[in-house]
Amino acid sequence: MTSAVETPPATRGVRFLHGLNPLAALAAPLPAMVALVLVRDAATPAAFLVLAVVVLLVGVRPSRRLLGALLVLPVVVVVLGLGFSLWTDPAAVARTPVVWEAGAWQLRAGALEIGLSTGLRLAAIVALSLIPGLSIDGTDLIRASVQQLRVPYRIGYTALAALRFVPRFGHELEVIRQAHRVRGAHAGRGPFAAIGRWWGYMIPLLAGAIRHAERVALAMDARAFGAHPDRTERHLVPFRTRDVVFVVLFWAVTAGLFVVV
């Protein structure tokens, strides 16, 4: 049995989202995301889109993923807005002004409004999902689920072991690629050469995965995994007062935006 060690927050100071419990970062925007599915105007999702961007800029470490997401969101709004405006029922917007006309086809202002509101709604949901997506560590989320949500540790730590497989497979794949380059195996261009290369990667990668799975299974069995109803935790992910404050404030702002807007 091991003693519990509290997991330190990833960052300090203004980048507060990384220091929160993953369940708090996940629970805070969830009601807004669900409620936005039922919204049909453009002002409400626009307000939540601005809120999500502000929270991301203040609470998440600057990174290429964050910058890329913030640059893609306006493009998503425009593309989805135009796309959904083309699919709008013409009879539903027949009394609105014509914005563009090509032969017998007409694009009306009502269709653009419906398309823009739909694009804003989807972009706001995506932006809100980025709050936990860019600040949560997968291993901490699993630990928090076991500790706070009482998910059985047999499920949680099996998922944790599976999550650890991903970077290991990436490393093994790179080693196999380098070995094939050194031997000059499957050289050439074209689809058949690519198929040959990937087939040559699959066999040793599968063999390595089986060996790694056997070692993990033996290690878990040696530690009596599953023999007891619960286990002590080496890393604690506590649900602190600041987590409660963040969730309550976010829910309050969510309710306020729905009332005001």
Side-chain angles (χ1 to χ4, degrees):
M1 306 295 280
T2 56
S3 59
V5 178
E6 182 175 328
T7 302
T11 55
R12 301 287 183 180
V14 69
R15 307 304 180 184
F16 65 91
L17 282 177
H18 298 282
L20 294 177
N21 187 292
L23 296 179
L26 191 62
L30 190 59
M33 295 168 62
V34 174
L36 282 173
V37 177
L38 306 176
V39 172
R40 292 295 177 265
D41 64 303
T44 303
F48 278 101
L49 181 59
V50 172
L51 173 64
V53 171
V54 170
V55 172
L56 287 171
L57 290 175
V58 174
V60 177
R61 291 193 304 266
S63 64
R64 291 183 179 179
R65 290 194 302 170
L66 175 60
L67 179 61
L70 295 180
L71 292 177
V72 167
L73 281 175
V75 179
V76 170
V77 173
V78 173
V79 172
L80 290 178
L82 292 175
F84 280 108
S85 65
L86 299 178
W87 287 92
T88 304
D89 183 11
V93 295
R95 297 183 179 181
T96 59
V98 177
V99 177
W100 188 42
E101 187 174 3
W105 179 80
Q106 295 177 336
L107 179 63
R108 295 184 176 272
L112 280 177
E113 183 179 354
I114 294 175
L116 179 62
S117 62
T118 305
L120 282 171
R121 186 165 69 251
L122 294 176
I125 293 173
V126 171
L128 289 169
S129 68
L130 290 176
I131 294 177
L134 294 178
S135 63
I136 286 179
D137 180 73
T139 57
D140 285 342
L141 178 61
I142 294 173
R143 292 188 181 109
S145 300
V146 173
Q147 295 169 26
Q148 276 89 47
L149 298 182
R150 304 304 178 189
V151 173
Y153 77 89
R154 296 174 181 84
I155 298 176
Y157 286 96
T158 301
L160 188 61
L163 191 64
R164 296 275 176 85
F165 270 47
V166 177
R168 182 178 183 86
F169 286 167
H171 173 71
E172 289 190 358
L173 178 60
E174 184 60 29
V175 171
I176 294 170
R177 282 177 172 174
Q178 292 177 1
H180 280 211
R181 291 193 192 102
V182 171
R183 293 177 176 85
H186 305 293
R189 298 180 179 180
F192 294 104
I195 293 173
R197 281 194 297 270
W198 279 104
W199 182 256
Y201 298 156
M202 288 174 59
I203 303 302
L205 188 62
L206 181 61
I210 294 173
R211 286 195 300 267
H212 181 64
E214 289 177 346
R215 288 194 294 267
V216 171
L218 289 173
M220 295 172 76
D221 187 59
R223 290 165 175 80
F225 184 82
H228 302 282
D230 54 14
R231 296 181 67 91
T232 56
E233 300 288 344
R234 183 164 182 255
H235 296 285
L236 293 180
V237 186
F239 204 90
R240 303 180 181 88
T241 303
R242 61 187 176 189
D243 301 308
V244 177
V245 171
F246 175 72
V247 173
V248 171
L249 283 178
F250 204 100
W251 286 356
V253 173
T254 298
L257 286 178
F258 275 109
V259 171
V260 173
V261 179

